[in-house]
């Protein structure tokens, strides 16, 4: 919006002793939006509407003003415990630690003797259809500390602008329902908005064990109970703005030999899990080979793309799918024989050097782990840190229990300590194996050692 509108908003935000710095003014703005009713926020709620291709379909994303995003993130940081407590363990999109991983681990319910099937439900245009009035009402009851902020932003329709750069044509669409995709508070809003439906279809009412990640509902149990659960979703869902999409809903039953993708992982028998992982590994091998070609020209760009992007995709599968370490062997061979030589100027690393490259940069390595070595450790750590057991037990209470928080914090500290100890032991052992001139890497902490020569010759 124009500068004058924002100046008016900021000037009204300054309360008490006026903050002279921008940080203080924005803090005052966030505090006022979270605690006082403020009816005239058109400049804050208006945004550009960006149509992203879902292939097929379209995802309308509201790219809001920077100040709205900053204040939204500040409010979320301040009340995140209240939101998690309000939403509980069975909706894992509201800031729960590794919530998506917990939902995947919990579906080992499928392997229990009294479970016949798993039903995975998706909703049509979920974030734009969720009942906004229901959200505002539910939030006042379930999470009062969050209620004023979203009432200020969502009580009135927001103007969304769609422009055509070629023709100069501008259209305005008023958003009166759902959340604005791109808003930092949207996921928490959606989670609270869906609580009433989750109460209706709870384990107590349907005998189906369930978990939700935003609009992705997953239920496991006996076939007749699954049918009852689906009927209730169809009956009560539209009242909350949740319209189940039968075409995108998947039923997995034990007589079925195939598996199905579940929240980015795989649910099904062992042979289907292995097929799924093998297919993903083949895709990543192709990506690493492409990256190796780039590395011969731009080693730092290739290194950054790997460590900050590509590797996190296979790390997620390590954390969520058990018994897959051996399936990563083609990926490790490609890393060792193609990418690392490209980063180091063409020389194939020895086994000892490859082990050095697994270490983080602060210990003289590259932070490029061997996925075969890491897979089982990551999976074990994920199970320890997530609330999967609470989901299996259908314990709806949130993560605010202090004893549980202390326990998770202690586990996280122990995992970090064990990882550091393994790395120290690995480094000490490897230094004894390397020739004298290679041991200098141990002292060149803070920069990837195999890029020194390439950087100097550039």
């Amino acid at each position: 919006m124009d500068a004058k509108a924002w100046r008016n908003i900021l000037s009204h935000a300054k309360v008490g002793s006026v903050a002279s710095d921008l940080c203080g003014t924005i803090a005052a703005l966030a505090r006022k939006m979270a605690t006082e009713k403020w009816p005239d926020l058109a400049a804050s709620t208006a945004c550009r509407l960006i149509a992203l291709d879902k292939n097929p379909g379209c995802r309308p994303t509201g790219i809001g003003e920077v100040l709205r995003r900053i204040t939204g993130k500040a409010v979320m940081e301040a009340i995140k415990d209240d939101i998690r407590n309000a939403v509980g363990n069975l909706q894992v999109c509201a800031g729960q630690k590794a919530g998506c991983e917990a939902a995947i681990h919990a579906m080992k319910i499928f392997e229990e003797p009294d479970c016949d099937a798993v039903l995975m439900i998706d909703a049509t245009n979920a974030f734009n259809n969720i009942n906004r009035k229901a959200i505002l009402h539910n939030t006042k009851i379930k999470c009062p500390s969050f209620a004023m902020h979203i009432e200020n932003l969502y009580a009135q329709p927001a103007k969304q602008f769609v422009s055509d750069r070629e023709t100069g044509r501008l259209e305005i669409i008023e958003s009166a329902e759902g959340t604005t995709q791109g808003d930092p508070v949207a996921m928490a809003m959606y989670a609270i908005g869906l609580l009433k439906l989750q109460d209706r279809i709870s384990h107590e009412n349907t005998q189906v064990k369930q978990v939700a990640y935003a609009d992705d509902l997953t239920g496991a149990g006996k076939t007749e109970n699954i049918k009852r659960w689906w009927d209730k979703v169809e009956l009560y869902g539209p009242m909350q703005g949740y319209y189940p999409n039968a075409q995108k809903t998947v039923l997995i039953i034990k007589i079925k030999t195939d598996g199905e993708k579940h929240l980015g992982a795989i649910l099904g028998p062992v042979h289907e899990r292995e097929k799924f992982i093998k297919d993903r590994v083949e895709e990543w091998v192709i990506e690493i080979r492409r990256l190796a070609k780039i590395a011969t020209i731009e080693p730092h760009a290739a290194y950054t793309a790997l460590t900050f992007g590509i590797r996190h995709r296979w790390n997620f599968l390590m954390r969520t799918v058990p018994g897959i370490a051996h399936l990563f062997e083609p990926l490790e061979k490609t890393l060792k024989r193609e990418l690392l030589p490209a980063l180091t100027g063409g020389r194939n690393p020895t086994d000892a050097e490859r082990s050095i490259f697994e270490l983080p940069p602060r210990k003289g390595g590259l932070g490029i782990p061997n996925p075969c070595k890491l897979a089982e450790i990551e999976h074990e750590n994920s199970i320890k840190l997530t609330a999967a057991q609470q989901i299996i037990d259908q314990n709806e209470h949130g993560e605010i229990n202090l004893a549980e928080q202390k326990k998770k914090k202690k586990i996280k500290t122990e995992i970090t300590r064990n990882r550091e100890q393994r790395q120290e032991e690995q480094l000490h052992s490897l230094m004894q194996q390397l020739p004298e001139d290679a041991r200098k890497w141990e002292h060149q902490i803070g920069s990837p050692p195999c890029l020194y020569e390439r950087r100097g010759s550039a």
Side-chain angles (χ1 to χ4, degrees):
M1 288 293 91
D2 58 50
K4 182 178 179 181
W6 269 117
R7 280 198 299 271
N8 289 337
I9 287 177
L10 289 175
S11 65
H12 287 301
K14 298 176 182 180
V15 293
S17 59
V18 178
S20 59
D21 62 305
L22 179 60
C23 182
T25 303
I26 295 176
L29 170 64
R31 186 163 53 249
K32 185 177 179 69
M33 289 178 66
T35 58
E36 300 179 29
K37 192 167 184 178
W38 201 350
D40 187 16
L41 279 175
S44 177
T45 58
C47 60
R48 290 181 294 126
L49 193 62
I50 307 298
L52 301 180
D53 187 3
K54 291 179 64 175
N55 191 28
C58 172
R59 175 179 284 112
T61 301
I63 309 299
E65 298 287 343
V66 172
L67 281 176
R68 178 176 177 180
R69 294 185 61 80
I70 293 173
T71 54
K73 288 183 177 181
V75 170
M76 288 297 296
E77 179 64 25
I79 63 171
K80 59 185 179 182
D81 287 346
D82 292 347
I83 292 172
R84 287 204 301 263
N85 194 36
V87 172
N89 293 320
L90 305 186
Q91 170 59 270
V92 296
C93 74
Q96 292 87 343
K97 295 179 178 63
C100 194
E101 294 177 19
I104 294 169
H105 293 316
M107 280 303 110
K108 65 182 181 183
I109 297 168
F110 183 61
E111 301 171 3
E112 295 178 357
D114 58 347
C115 178
D116 296 334
V118 170
L119 184 66
M120 295 185 287
I121 305 175
D122 195 9
T124 300
N125 201 16
F127 280 81
N128 294 309
N129 281 335
I130 192 75
N131 189 315
R132 191 177 291 183
K133 288 185 178 180
I135 293 176
L136 295 174
H137 175 76
N138 290 348
T139 307
K140 290 176 181 178
I141 299 171
K142 294 287 189 178
C143 190
S145 59
F146 188 37
M148 187 56 68
H149 180 80
I150 65 169
E151 182 175 353
N152 280 327
L153 291 177
Y154 285 95
Q156 301 298 324
K159 293 183 179 180
Q160 298 183 332
F161 296 83
V162 184
S163 61
D164 188 326
R165 293 182 179 179
E166 295 182 0
T167 64
R169 182 181 176 185
L170 177 68
E171 291 188 16
I172 301 176
I173 300 175
E174 285 201 343
S175 172
E177 202 65 278
T179 67
T180 299
Q181 295 195 49
D183 188 343
V185 306
M187 197 66 94
M189 282 183 60
Y190 192 91
I192 293 174
L194 212 62
L195 285 177
K196 186 62 177 178
L197 173 60
Q198 289 186 269
D199 287 343
R200 297 275 193 180
I201 62 173
S202 67
H203 179 259
E204 183 180 358
N205 293 329
T206 62
Q207 300 306 303
V208 171
K209 292 186 176 182
Q210 60 202 276
V211 65
Y213 184 82
D215 62 312
D216 292 314
L217 289 173
T218 306
K222 291 198 171 291
T223 308
E224 60 271 22
N225 295 334
I226 290 283
K227 174 62 168 61
R228 188 184 310 116
W229 188 65
W230 166 258
D231 290 341
K232 286 182 177 292
V233 172
E234 280 197 309
L235 176 62
Y236 297 113
M239 299 179 187
Q240 307 298 317
Y242 185 92
Y243 298 89
N245 186 341
Q247 291 183 338
K248 295 175 69 175
T249 294
V250 176
L251 175 67
I252 303 176
I253 56 178
K254 286 188 174 178
I255 62 171
K256 185 178 185 293
T257 60
D258 296 338
E260 182 64 33
K261 188 175 180 181
H262 176 229
L263 298 177
I266 179 71
L267 181 63
V270 173
H271 70 275
E272 283 297 320
R273 293 206 303 261
E274 291 194 352
K275 181 179 181 300
F276 177 83
I277 299 299
K278 286 179 180 178
D279 290 343
R280 298 291 85 75
V281 168
E282 288 177 5
E283 294 174 6
W284 294 329
V285 166
I286 294 172
E287 290 182 354
I288 294 301
R289 285 174 175 161
R290 291 173 180 166
L291 202 61
K293 293 180 180 179
I294 297 172
T296 59
I297 304 170
E298 295 288 346
H300 290 83
Y303 171 73
T304 301
L306 175 70
T307 55
F308 289 96
I310 296 174
R311 61 162 286 194
H312 293 293
R313 283 186 283 171
W314 67 65
N315 197 66
F316 178 78
L317 284 185
M318 290 179 192
R319 293 177 64 84
T320 54
V321 184
I324 60 174
H326 63 289
L327 302 176
F328 284 96
E329 289 178 2
L331 180 61
E332 168 56 20
K333 288 180 180 178
T334 308
L335 289 169
K336 183 179 178 180
R337 297 177 182 177
E338 299 187 38
L339 181 60
L340 285 173
L343 289 172
T344 56
R347 185 175 66 83
N348 289 323
T350 65
D351 290 342
E353 289 170 344
R354 174 63 182 103
S355 295
I356 285 284
F357 296 153
E358 296 172 20
L359 298 172
R362 68 180 181 277
K363 295 187 183 298
L366 269 174
I368 302 178
N370 182 332
C372 298
K373 293 182 181 179
L374 199 62
E376 296 308 316
I377 296 173
E378 284 294 311
H379 184 260
E380 183 180 342
N381 290 344
S382 178
I383 291 177
K384 289 179 180 178
L385 283 173
T386 59
Q389 191 58 48
Q390 285 93 326
I391 298 172
I392 293 172
D393 297 338
Q394 293 294 280
N395 179 356
E396 300 180 10
H397 301 297
E399 298 182 341
I400 304 304
N401 181 280
L402 292 179
E404 187 66 23
Q405 280 188 333
K406 289 180 180 178
K407 180 181 176 182
K408 294 294 184 184
K409 187 176 181 179
K410 184 178 180 181
I411 292 173
K412 186 174 182 180
T413 301
E414 182 181 350
I415 288 173
T416 302
R417 184 171 58 248
N418 291 341
R419 181 173 61 245
E420 290 286 337
Q421 183 177 346
R422 285 196 308 270
Q423 291 171 350
E424 286 291 343
E425 292 174 353
Q426 182 176 343
L427 179 60
H428 179 74
S429 175
L430 289 167
M431 286 301 106
Q432 309 307 313
Q433 303 174 35
L434 292 175
E436 186 66 31
D437 60 343
R439 296 185 187 184
K440 63 182 180 180
W441 289 352
E442 185 178 11
H443 305 290
Q444 293 174 323
I445 304 300
S447 183
C450 70
L451 302 183
Y452 293 157
E453 183 179 347
R454 299 293 304 282
R455 182 173 56 197
S457 61

